Amino acid sequence: MDLDAITEYSALHPKPSGLILQYGTAGFRTKAEHLDHVMFRMGLLAVLRSKQTKSTIGVMVTASHNPEEDNGVKLVDPLGEMLAPSWEEHATCLANAEEQDMPRVLMDISVKAAVNLQQDAFIVIGRDTRPTSEKLSQSVIDGVTVLEGQFHDYGLVTTPQLHYMVYCRNTSGQYGEATLEGYYQKLSKAFMELTKKTLCSEDEYRSLKVDCANGIGALKLKEMEHYVSQGLSVQLFNDGTKGKLNHLCGADFVKSHQKPPQGMEMKSNERCCSFDGDADRIVYHYLDVDGHFHLIDGDKIATLISSFLKELLLEIGESLNIGVVQTAYANGSSTRYLEEVMKVPVYCTKTGVKHLHHKAQEFDIGVYFEANGHGTVLFSKAAETKIRQLTKELEDERRKAAAKMLENVIDLFNQAAGDAISDMLVIEAILMLKDLSIQQWDALYMDLPNRQLKVKVADRQVISTTDAERQVVTPPGLQEAINDLVKKYKLSRAFVRPSGTEDVVRVYAEADSQENADSLARAVSLAVFQLAGGVGETPPG
Ligand code: G16
């Protein structure tokens, strides 16, 4: 390792002294102007990780659902999954080392992680459409090159597309071809195969309005459109030509405000969906004949998908185990429906797809979705092999057709990461195949009214939690206060947790009516403000 060169180049990407950042829920996220040194250092770290794993590592420059002024970076591990927890710690140490200490910290990491510095390294880089992303990804490249890593810059891609590229490269193309063309071909082939025999030829099932959050999803859907146009026509809104990224639109806005996105023409009963800024989340929505807005979030997506998968398995006559993984944000009605009506085991993990992904790997078929629309389905290697074998061996036509369908479903899901484009195609295929309208899907169960709020505190790390974030440990007294408030409402539940992507504490409440959910959320926000060092305006309570 050429420490002099590292020191020299690092000086071109200086760390603002005293700035401390944490590798959070989805990497580093903060105002873009504070991130140049982090990008350079993540370029360095990616090279070490690549040498250690003897694999291609991904670096994605994005702040996903955050405002346009923010940016962020996360590393993608060999099978397209999120960075291993021990390396998250290395990332935090390296990002926070003061300028003069940085080369030594880098050396320490390479010793601790037993990195063979002679090994070659290969890094793939992607970025979203934020105005700051191009320059920041150049800083990543600077970090990679000073450690003599090789790289390929994919430029503008969705986050899940970059995860896909990493997975493809590390499986020698077995998972797919590591190009955008390869991604579009793989998904569209599976989608067209799945839907070609659908009896429903009505136009209503074939067109979909997509709110692209003024982000990268719009560019990539435009590129993909012609591959699937015989099966689905998509009409794009908030495609980035006028509006600001994630502003009053996109999956995060729609889910947290429970409102239609601005800039989208919605007629009653039309099927609409929203992506987030880097197209790894999707939620569906529609207006009913009375003009009321209905949100179909990640919980209902998980329900639709798992019931379809269960039906297919029944038809094939295979008893592979299915598990659904959620977080504390999952609506109580969804968990009840999955467990009591569908008889599917449900597990709760901490927020962050890395936790859900990990849990979902324990099943033959692991369905994971956060309520915010971030999720996918994982098939174990054994399950995948079994299903592919059955498509060849089965003689009974119905069973064989069901096995083929399941094989296409495997290919249609992005098994490296939650992916709005891939999830959208799976959902559209299921709705076509089951001849379901969006209203029928929505009617599977009634969500409990809920509300999410944010509270500003001086230091959000004063809040620590346990029990998959459903209980507060510190500061003392806060959990007791929440318990007392929850007791005042029927069918109620509330929890708070520090965000890992924004400088806020998140508050979630649900209850028997919207008025009660709102009132409980406000009361809990006030308790957080009073007991956890709130700053700025006191919440109304
Ligand atoms: C990221 C994570 C998600 C998480 C969300 C909010 O989403 O990938 O798993 O639910 O942040 O996290 P927090 O509540 O900790 O701020 P995205 O779409 O922004 O990458």
Side-chain angles (χ1 to χ4, degrees):
M1 213 187 283
D2 183 348
L3 292 183
D4 290 340
I6 294 169
T7 307
E8 189 186 319
Y9 276 86
S10 182
L12 303 174
H13 303 279
K15 173 183 180 293
S17 130
L19 179 68
I20 300 291
L21 297 169
Q22 189 88 27
Y23 197 98
T25 314
F28 293 101
R29 298 241 176 123
T30 188
K31 294 273 163 275
E33 68 254 30
H34 299 319
L35 280 168
D36 183 45
H37 68 294
V38 177
M39 298 291 166
F40 173 73
R41 295 173 183 200
M42 288 309 103
L44 298 173
L45 193 74
V47 171
L48 292 193
R49 182 65 172 153
S50 174
K51 286 175 186 286
Q52 191 223 25
T53 56
K54 301 191 179 70
S55 306
T56 296
I57 293 295
V59 183
M60 183 71 197
V61 176
T62 180
S64 189
H65 78 273
N66 291 46
E68 188 167 284
E69 301 69 37
D70 288 7
N71 217 319
V73 59
K74 66 176 176 185
L75 266 57
V76 179
D77 251 0
L79 294 180
E81 73 278 41
M82 302 295 180
L83 186 64
S86 57
W87 279 75
E88 289 191 1
E89 279 174 35
H90 296 325
T92 301
C93 281
L94 190 63
N96 293 328
E98 290 307 331
E99 203 52 46
Q100 66 282 6
D101 302 330
M102 198 276 284
R104 183 188 50 76
V105 172
L106 191 69
M107 273 307 285
D108 287 352
I109 294 169
S110 87
V111 172
K112 253 195 221 155
V115 176
N116 172 4
L117 294 171
Q118 305 313 314
Q119 179 69 39
D120 290 340
F122 197 86
I123 311 301
V124 291
I125 299 155
R127 64 171 197 272
D128 70 13
T129 53
R130 279 161 214 271
T132 52
S133 290
E134 189 170 359
K135 185 162 180 292
L136 289 174
S137 73
Q138 190 51 53
S139 305
V140 174
I141 292 172
D142 288 355
V144 172
T145 43
V146 76
L147 272 189
E148 292 172 9
Q150 301 290 305
F151 71 93
H152 178 81
D153 183 8
Y154 281 98
L156 291 167
V157 282
T158 69
T159 298
Q161 283 175 335
L162 188 80
H163 285 259
Y164 164 90
M165 301 304 175
V166 174
Y167 197 8
C168 291
R169 283 177 180 267
N170 289 319
T171 51
S172 315
Q174 256 180 26
Y175 185 66
E177 193 194 307
T179 59
L180 278 173
E181 175 73 18
Y183 172 90
Y184 297 135
Q185 294 274 9
K186 179 175 178 184
L187 265 56
S188 58
K189 180 166 173 284
F191 176 73
M192 297 310 293
E193 284 283 321
L194 249 183
T195 54
K196 71 179 178 204
K197 286 204 188 116
T198 166
L199 294 173
C200 172
S201 56
E202 300 290 325
D203 279 353
E204 87 178 274
Y205 289 100
R206 304 282 164 156
S207 92
L208 172 69
K209 291 187 167 176
V210 187
D211 152 31
C212 298
N214 291 315
I216 183 74
L219 301 182
K220 299 299 141 181
L221 268 183
K222 276 181 202 156
E223 285 173 14
M224 185 168 200
E225 228 173 343
H226 74 274
Y227 291 88
V228 291
S229 58
Q230 283 176 332
L232 177 71
S233 109
V234 286
Q235 207 182 334
L236 307 186
F237 295 85
N238 299 322
D239 66 355
T241 44
K242 325 192 263 288
K244 215 172 164 189
L245 181 69
N246 296 326
H247 183 60
L248 305 175
C249 61
D252 195 65
F253 171 84
V254 170
K255 167 69 182 160
S256 43
H257 295 266
Q258 304 184 22
K259 272 190 197 161
Q262 280 194 9
M264 186 179 214
E265 295 153 25
M266 292 171 70
K267 297 204 192 97
S268 64
N269 290 339
E270 269 180 346
R271 232 173 38 262
C272 304
C273 68
S274 290
F275 288 9
D276 72 339
D278 63 342
D280 58 7
R281 296 195 210 170
I282 183 170
V283 293
Y284 270 68
H285 42 87
Y286 68 99
L287 293 178
D288 65 20
V289 280
D290 300 319
H292 292 134
F293 177 72
H294 294 251
L295 171 71
I296 301 187
D297 64 6
D299 302 335
K300 250 180 202 161
I301 294 176
T303 309
L304 178 79
I305 293 170
S306 34
S307 72
F308 179 71
L309 293 172
K310 261 198 103 170
E311 281 166 26
L312 278 184
L313 288 176
L314 210 65
E315 184 95 24
I316 303 169
E318 267 304 311
S319 58
L320 298 172
N321 70 33
I322 300 187
V324 177
V325 189
Q326 305 184 315
T327 69
Y329 291 104
N331 195 277
S333 296
S334 76
T335 316
R336 236 185 322 276
Y337 183 85
L338 284 160
E339 286 180 334
E340 291 170 16
V341 181
M342 285 187 51
K343 311 276 183 224
V344 182
V346 180
Y347 300 83
C348 183
T349 70
K350 284 170 32 178
T351 300
V353 277
K354 58 192 175 195
H355 302 294
L356 291 99
H357 190 96
H358 189 67
K359 184 72 194 169
Q361 285 172 324
E362 292 176 12
F363 307 94
D364 294 328
I365 303 179
V367 179
Y368 75 83
F369 269 89
E370 293 186 297
N372 63 24
H374 206 159
T376 187
V377 176
L378 304 182
F379 294 82
S380 71
K381 270 285 149 259
E384 184 179 337
T385 310
K386 179 88 203 157
I387 293 157
R388 295 204 194 274
Q389 213 176 337
L390 287 172
T391 62
K392 299 194 187 83
E393 287 171 1
L394 284 173
E395 280 169 16
D396 177 280
E397 282 309 314
R398 279 177 69 120
R399 291 178 67 198
K400 196 183 185 85
K404 282 219 156 124
M405 248 184 220
L406 197 48
E407 186 179 42
N408 283 316
V409 171
I410 296 175
D411 290 338
L412 191 48
F413 272 115
N414 184 338
Q415 290 184 55
D419 182 336
I421 294 180
S422 135
D423 291 341
M424 176 190 86
L425 293 175
V426 172
I427 293 163
E428 290 301 308
I430 297 176
L431 294 179
M432 281 184 214
L433 289 160
K434 292 182 66 144
D435 200 5
L436 270 185
S437 68
I438 191 156
Q439 298 84 348
Q440 287 167 316
W441 175 19
D442 188 29
L444 280 180
Y445 60 82
M446 281 272 286
D447 274 324
L448 275 171
N450 59 88
R451 179 64 61 202
Q452 274 190 57
L453 295 174
K454 301 178 191 182
V455 184
K456 273 261 180 207
V457 297
D459 172 13
R460 65 194 200 274
Q461 302 310 334
V462 298
I463 296 191
S464 63
T465 62
T466 183
D467 187 21
E469 304 179 321
R470 290 173 289 197
Q471 296 282 322
V472 168
V473 178
T474 59
L478 182 53
Q479 187 57 50
E480 290 72 15
I482 295 172
N483 293 345
D484 290 343
L485 291 167
V486 166
K487 276 188 209 140
K488 294 185 182 163
Y489 302 89
K490 282 196 197 126
L491 297 177
S492 58
R493 186 169 75 87
F495 67 89
V496 307
R497 53 174 286 278
S499 161
T501 60
E502 296 173 51
D503 190 13
V504 293
V505 174
R506 297 199 195 279
V507 172
Y508 177 87
E510 62 186 37
D512 59 340
S513 69
Q514 192 60 55
E515 207 187 352
N516 286 344
D518 290 349
S519 154
L520 177 57
R522 282 197 305 270
V524 172
S525 300
L526 183 59
V528 170
F529 190 88
Q530 288 167 341
L531 296 169
V535 290
E537 224 173 284
T538 313

